[in-house]
Amino acid sequence: MPNRDLLKRFARVCLMQGPTPIQRLARLEQVLGEQRRGVSIWAKRDDLMELGGGGNKLRKLEFLIGQAKSEGCDTVVAIGGVQSNLGRLAAAACARTGLACELVLAQMVARDSEIYKRNGNVLLDELFGARVHILSRGDDPAEFASRRVAEIATSGRKAFIATLGGSTPVGCLGYVDCAFEIAMQSAEMGTDFDHVVIPNGSGGMHAGLVAGTVIAGSDLSRIKAHTVLSPADACVLATVEKVNAVFEILSRDDRVEPKDLTISGAQLGGGYGVPTPEMIEAVRLVGRSEGLLLDPVYGGKAFAGLLSDIEGGIIAPGSNVLFVMTGGTPGLYAYADALNGH
Ligand SMILES: *Cc1c(COP(=O)(O)O)cnc(C)c1O
């Protein structure tokens, strides 16, 4: 089994209750019928966590807030888009761990409706007690955040910046651990996953999973990401850089190259946060066949990619596929206008 002691020297707070379940989506398989080509579809339920509505950012925040506390910070300033899941979960995690939280939310998506700016994650940010700054289009969030950190310092407090997606090397450790968790569960279940399918936004989850998979000695080619933010080529380069930075902080000699990563750009559509017909169909299919929620920005697009890869034979008939459900469901409320009436 992979060596979890590797992660022990990093400060960490506990925001989860042990491993998230892996469940077979048997009813979806039944609904897909012939279309599924004998592929077994499993979900790693990283949407199923007790704090703040759950989601993949909590794994990163265990290490990021650990780092903030170990550096003597009493405030977290998190950067994201308006409907940032990192923002919501940073707010909830700060509430739980007794830190103050400010969110610097940039307009990354061309959606101007009131529900987009007020509902979904933004509504929850405020309920979790965060101070929310919604920037004007064109404002630089990094610059705004450093200015806030300086202002906070003048009142004798110390702030920690959580960057976009929380995808620093330390943040990525949450998904190194998740790779170990999947390896353990897979052994317990006696099921080998031929493919692990994920969305790639800021690349931190992908980078952590890749690093953890290499360290666990498993086959890397099984991880298939669908980019939802950058074009595929740029996404590969940025993710490779993150993986290697993770190896560095873990003092590992391993390194990866672009050819080691599999990232498809086929589901990106009009870009980050822009709905596609395939995303809407995937959200509706999983909803009506399983009673489970995918989110419109990440999981919906990645699941659409999974279905298309089964159909195109890129996922071989008869294989076992693990889809990582990453949460983000509050985003559904912000996209009500795109999802209604289909
Ligand atoms: C952030 C996020 C992702 C993508 O993770 P990255 O590390 O940014 O690539 C996927 N799903 C949800 C719901 C997210 O909030």
Side-chain angles (χ1 to χ4, degrees):
M1 272 302 106
N3 190 355
R4 285 184 138 172
D5 290 349
L6 256 187
L7 301 175
K8 280 218 176 109
R9 63 191 169 87
F10 294 89
R12 186 175 188 174
V13 296
C14 179
L15 303 174
M16 295 172 55
Q17 312 71 56
T20 58
I22 291 180
Q23 297 169 341
R24 181 119 181 223
L25 302 185
R27 181 57 198 142
L28 172 74
E29 290 178 7
Q30 201 178 36
V31 169
L32 287 174
E34 299 272 284
Q35 246 182 301
R36 80 176 170 100
R37 298 169 148 226
V39 172
S40 304
I41 306 174
W42 306 77
K44 171 73 172 159
R45 298 291 309 277
D46 268 14
D47 59 321
L48 206 58
M49 298 174 187
E50 162 267 344
L51 182 66
N56 80 342
K57 300 307 182 298
L58 277 186
R59 289 192 186 267
K60 301 175 182 182
L61 284 162
E62 287 200 330
F63 288 94
L64 291 172
I65 292 189
Q67 183 184 8
K69 288 199 150 188
S70 75
E71 292 173 3
C73 297
D74 51 26
T75 304
V76 171
V77 175
I79 295 175
V82 172
Q83 285 294 333
S84 168
N85 294 307
L86 176 72
R88 164 182 45 98
L89 289 167
C94 283
R96 177 65 59 87
T97 56
L99 300 176
C101 185
E102 294 198 16
L103 305 179
V104 178
L105 305 182
Q107 311 225 14
M108 291 172 64
V109 177
R111 293 187 90 78
D112 279 323
S113 64
E114 275 304 296
I115 56 165
Y116 188 80
K117 286 195 284 197
R118 300 224 164 275
N119 207 336
N121 284 296
V122 184
L123 171 69
L124 302 184
D125 294 342
E126 308 214 0
L127 292 179
F128 293 139
R131 177 166 174 195
V132 178
H133 309 274
I134 297 193
L135 303 192
S136 304
R137 228 167 267 289
D139 284 353
D140 178 354
E143 194 183 280
F144 187 97
S146 352
R147 207 163 59 232
R148 273 308 294 153
V149 169
E151 285 164 12
I152 287 167
T154 62
S155 58
R157 290 156 53 213
K158 188 172 175 193
F160 176 89
I161 296 188
T163 51
L164 190 76
S167 293
T168 60
V170 167
C172 293
L173 296 177
Y175 271 90
V176 172
D177 201 30
C178 183
F180 298 167
E181 195 175 297
I182 290 171
M184 221 150 55
Q185 288 174 310
S186 160
E188 279 167 14
M189 296 163 65
T191 304
D192 255 337
F193 296 110
D194 306 299
H195 302 280
V196 177
V197 178
I198 55 169
N200 181 317
S202 63
M205 172 171 69
H206 191 182
L209 282 176
V210 164
T213 301
V214 169
I215 293 167
S218 311
D219 176 20
L220 252 198
S221 66
R222 72 171 71 185
I223 303 177
K224 294 202 184 300
H226 296 273
T227 176
V228 301
L229 199 155
S230 354
D233 288 353
C235 186
V236 169
L237 294 179
T239 307
V240 162
E241 209 170 287
K242 285 190 168 63
V243 179
N244 290 334
V246 172
F247 286 139
E248 253 168 60
I249 63 166
L250 290 172
S251 313
R252 301 275 307 189
D253 293 332
D254 310 278
R255 292 294 179 269
V256 294
E257 302 172 28
K259 67 166 175 45
D260 299 323
L261 268 55
T262 314
I263 301 180
S264 161
Q267 301 300 323
L268 186 56
Y272 181 71
V274 180
T276 60
E278 294 80 4
M279 174 281 284
I280 292 172
E281 183 42 36
V283 169
R284 297 183 66 84
L285 173 67
V286 172
R288 70 173 180 265
S289 60
E290 286 284 348
L292 294 178
L293 297 174
L294 294 173
D295 82 285
V297 176
Y298 302 93
K301 285 185 174 178
F303 204 88
L306 184 162
L307 293 171
S308 145
D309 286 349
I310 291 176
E311 193 183 349
I314 293 169
I315 289 176
S319 46
N320 286 318
V321 178
L322 180 66
F323 179 77
V324 182
M325 279 185 77
T326 49
T329 51
L332 288 168
Y333 302 98
Y335 280 83
D337 49 354
L339 293 161
N340 273 339
H342 278 264

